[in-house]
């Protein structure tokens, strides 16, 4: 049985400061909603350089949780008859590659999605960014599978501003922040500085930049707010029947320890106690998580600005909503080195999978590009049997990986960790 709202309030007041200290989290802010009641708590500092205290009115970056707000703006256009979900994207952005609006929303468009090119700070940044996507590779045919796609959400942001005839951030304020009463929400540093703003930390030190490129804003590079404001957004999704369609499953996810399926923006969890939906987000040194249990009318948002945030977030979420069970290796499942061994590449990582003389399978992961800049670290771990084509890293802190598809020679075509990384021409012998 999860805690009631009053118990959560007392537990947060007593436990949150110590929890942040235990996990080296400089600052944390939490909001929990049950029906119309919202309780809030904060602890720590917004920056170790300044020592400014984190409060419930402090704004933290929410990273990719932004995608659900972007999706909601798109669904507003759908409701007004201005956009059709199954229309080709080039109906709104002439010349754009083969994909539909729906495929962008549920991450099935199939082109390389980790494109973080900075196209400047002007109102034309999204237009210029979308033009660059003509040159990125197509990983699989549109609609074939799920592969998390940041770039696709920048394209959706561009559709919003083209159809509305206004810059994306103005659409966000006029159609979400203002009508929902989100008073502490900031589209960019110029708005964030009007509030107490958290600074990201890596390796215990403040990061030298506050935000990523504006061209990725619809995907989650800049948006900051309080947990209370994010719960106001979540409440709108619980109250507005017109937004319920966003929680309808669009694509089943690979067995990688994420949700069960993806909707039109939301990650969906089919759990024993009932459905839960939400989204996670990360920027440079800041993280956010939102979970909503519609059956119990409960929602929770947790924001941090560094440190070992995963166990902290897990403990707080566990007091409020049901979460998927932790994966446990299955000795009966034997990794197939011949199928899995190889080198898998994307714009943000190179992963080598190889077998050894004892029949064990090893994964060596090296972050590239923005992933390395954001603090991701290289690691090497044995892969243990789990479920069918999905294996479990032995080293704690890393989720399951799935080996999907076929390259025509009996080997996996993709290593899936949320994103589908393609096998390269190079091969490691098992």
């Amino acid at each position: 049985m999860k805690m009631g709202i009053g118990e959560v309030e007392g537990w947060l007041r007593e436990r949150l400061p110590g929890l942040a200290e235990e996990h080296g989290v400089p600052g944390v802010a939490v909001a929990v909603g049950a029906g119309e009641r919202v309780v809030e708590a904060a602890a720590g500092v917004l920056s170790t350089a300044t020592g400014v205290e984190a409060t419930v009115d402090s704004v933290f970056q929410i990273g990719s949780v932004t995608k659900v707000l972007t999706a909601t703006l798109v669904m507003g256009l759908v409701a007004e008859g201005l956009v059709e979900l199954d229309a080709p994207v080039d109906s709104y952005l002439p010349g754009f590659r083969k994909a539909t609006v729906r495929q962008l929303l549920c991450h099935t468009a199939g082109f390389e999605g980790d494109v973080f090119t900075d196209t400047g700070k002007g109102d034309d940044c999204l237009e210029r960014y979308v033009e660059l996507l003509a040159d990125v590779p197509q990983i699989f045919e549109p609609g074939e599978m799920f592969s998390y796609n940041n770039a696709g959400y920048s394209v959706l942001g561009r559709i919003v501003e083209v159809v509305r005839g206004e810059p994306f951030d103005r659409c966000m304020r006029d159609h979400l922040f203002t009508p929902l009463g989100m008073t502490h929400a900031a589209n960019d540093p110029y708005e964030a500085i009007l509030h107490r703003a958290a600074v990201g930390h890596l390796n215990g030190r403040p990061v030298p930049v506050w935000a990523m490129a504006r061209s990725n804003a619809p995907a989650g590079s800049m948006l900051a707010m309080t947990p209370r404001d994010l719960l106001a957004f979540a409440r709108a999704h619980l109250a507005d029947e017109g937004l319920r369609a966003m929680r309808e499953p669009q694509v089943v996810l690979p067995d990688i320890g994420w949700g069960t399926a993806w909707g039109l923006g939301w990650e969906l969890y089919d759990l024993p106690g009932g459905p839960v939906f939400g989204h996670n987000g990360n920027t440079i040194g800041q993280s956010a998580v939102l979970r909503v249990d519609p059956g119990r009318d409960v929602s929770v948002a947790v924001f941090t600005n560094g440190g070992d945030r995963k166990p902290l977030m897990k403990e707080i979420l566990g007091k409020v909503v049901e979460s998927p069970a932790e994966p446990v290796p299955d000795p009966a499942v034997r990794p197939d080195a011949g199928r899995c061994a190889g080198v898998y590449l994307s714009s943000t990582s190179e992963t080598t999978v190889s077998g050894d003389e004892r029949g064990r399978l090893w994964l060596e992961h090296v972050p590239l590009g923005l992933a390395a800049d954001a603090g991701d670290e290289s690691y090497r771990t044995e892969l243990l049997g789990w479920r069918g084509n999905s294996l479990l890293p032995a080293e704690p802190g890393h989720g399951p990986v799935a080996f999907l598809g076929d390259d025509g020679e009996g080997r996996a075509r993709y290593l899936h960790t949320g994103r589908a990384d393609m096998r390269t021409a190079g091969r490691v012998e098992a």
Side-chain angles (χ1 to χ4, degrees):
M1 179 69 69
K2 302 301 173 186
M3 286 184 172
I5 190 75
E7 293 176 289
V8 169
E9 183 175 28
W11 181 84
L12 285 171
R13 188 183 303 114
E14 180 181 335
R15 182 77 178 105
L16 192 60
L19 196 59
E21 187 174 352
E22 288 170 23
H23 296 292
V25 172
V28 56
V30 182
V32 179
E36 297 298 323
R37 184 178 176 190
V38 175
V39 299
E40 304 172 87
V45 296
L46 299 178
S47 168
T48 57
T50 64
V52 174
E53 179 186 8
T55 70
V56 295
D57 288 324
S58 302
V59 298
F60 289 69
Q61 289 180 21
I62 66 169
S64 286
V65 182
T66 302
K67 290 181 173 68
V68 192
L69 282 80
T70 298
T72 304
L73 290 178
V74 172
M75 294 304 287
L77 297 173
V78 172
E80 293 177 40
L82 300 174
V83 166
E84 294 182 11
L85 285 176
D86 294 310
V89 175
D90 70 1
S91 301
Y92 313 102
L93 306 179
F96 192 78
R97 66 200 304 149
K98 180 183 174 184
T100 66
V101 175
R102 186 188 301 273
Q103 288 165 346
L104 294 181
L105 285 166
C106 61
H107 301 279
T108 61
F111 56 85
E112 170 63 59
D114 286 334
V115 181
F116 301 105
T117 308
D118 188 345
T119 54
K121 296 179 173 62
D123 285 349
D124 64 345
C125 67
L126 275 177
E127 179 181 9
R128 295 170 61 196
Y129 175 88
V130 170
E131 291 172 355
L132 297 175
L133 297 181
D135 298 326
V136 305
Q138 189 76 22
I139 309 302
F140 54 83
E141 282 297 304
E144 183 180 328
M145 66 165 62
F146 171 90
S147 182
Y148 193 82
N149 192 316
N150 282 290
Y153 267 77
S154 286
V155 178
L156 289 167
R158 177 61 181 155
I159 291 173
V160 169
E161 63 181 19
V162 166
V163 176
R164 289 290 184 201
E166 294 182 332
F168 176 77
D169 53 0
R170 189 177 304 162
C171 295
M172 184 72 80
R173 183 159 296 284
D174 290 349
H175 295 276
L176 285 181
F177 297 171
T178 299
L180 296 182
M182 299 167 68
T183 58
H184 290 64
N187 277 302
D188 54 37
Y190 307 105
E191 294 179 357
I193 202 170
L194 300 175
H195 307 281
R196 301 170 72 99
V199 173
H201 293 72
L202 294 176
N203 301 315
R205 295 187 296 274
V207 295
V209 295
W210 187 77
M212 297 184 287
R214 188 185 179 196
S215 50
N216 290 108
S221 65
M222 285 190 170
L223 184 57
M225 63 183 64
T226 64
R228 178 180 65 247
D229 283 295
L230 188 54
L231 289 200
F233 170 77
R235 288 288 314 154
H237 274 264
L238 289 173
D240 187 343
E241 283 296 317
L243 295 176
R244 182 180 289 273
M246 292 179 63
R247 290 153 31 203
E248 293 296 321
Q250 303 293 313
V251 57
V252 175
L253 298 191
D255 218 347
I256 51 173
W258 285 25
T260 312
W262 215 274
L264 298 172
W266 291 112
E267 185 174 6
L268 309 174
Y269 301 82
D270 186 8
L271 300 172
V276 170
F277 62 92
H279 211 291
N280 296 357
N282 296 287
T283 60
I284 301 178
Q286 298 197 54
S287 298
V289 62
L290 171 66
R291 293 289 183 273
V292 183
D293 181 339
R296 295 170 54 235
D297 198 13
V298 166
S299 53
V300 53
V302 185
F303 300 170
T304 63
N305 64 345
D308 189 12
R309 85 272 180 194
K310 288 183 179 179
L312 175 143
M313 289 176 162
K314 179 182 176 183
E315 184 165 343
I316 295 171
L317 292 178
K319 302 296 181 184
V320 184
V321 295
E322 185 179 1
S323 298
E326 287 294 313
V328 177
D330 182 352
V333 177
R334 302 288 298 176
D336 184 348
R339 171 172 164 74
C340 301
V343 179
Y344 302 85
L345 189 66
S346 73
S347 61
T348 56
S349 68
E350 179 178 279
T351 304
T352 302
V353 179
S354 58
D356 66 14
E357 66 282 355
R358 294 174 55 187
R360 297 177 300 181
L361 199 61
W362 296 87
L363 179 148
E364 185 171 359
H365 176 89
V366 178
L368 305 174
L370 188 72
D373 295 341
D376 286 4
E377 296 180 351
S378 300
Y379 64 91
R380 183 174 187 268
T381 179
E382 184 181 358
L383 291 176
L384 306 176
W386 185 45
R387 293 177 182 168
N389 290 320
S390 297
L391 304 178
L392 188 62
E395 182 177 309
H398 303 292
V401 300
F403 293 87
L404 304 179
D406 192 291
D407 71 345
E409 298 182 20
R411 302 172 303 186
R413 183 171 178 81
Y414 304 103
L415 170 67
H416 209 300
T417 59
R419 295 166 176 83
D421 294 356
M422 281 194 71
R423 177 186 290 276
T424 69
R427 184 186 178 194
V428 176
E429 296 294 334

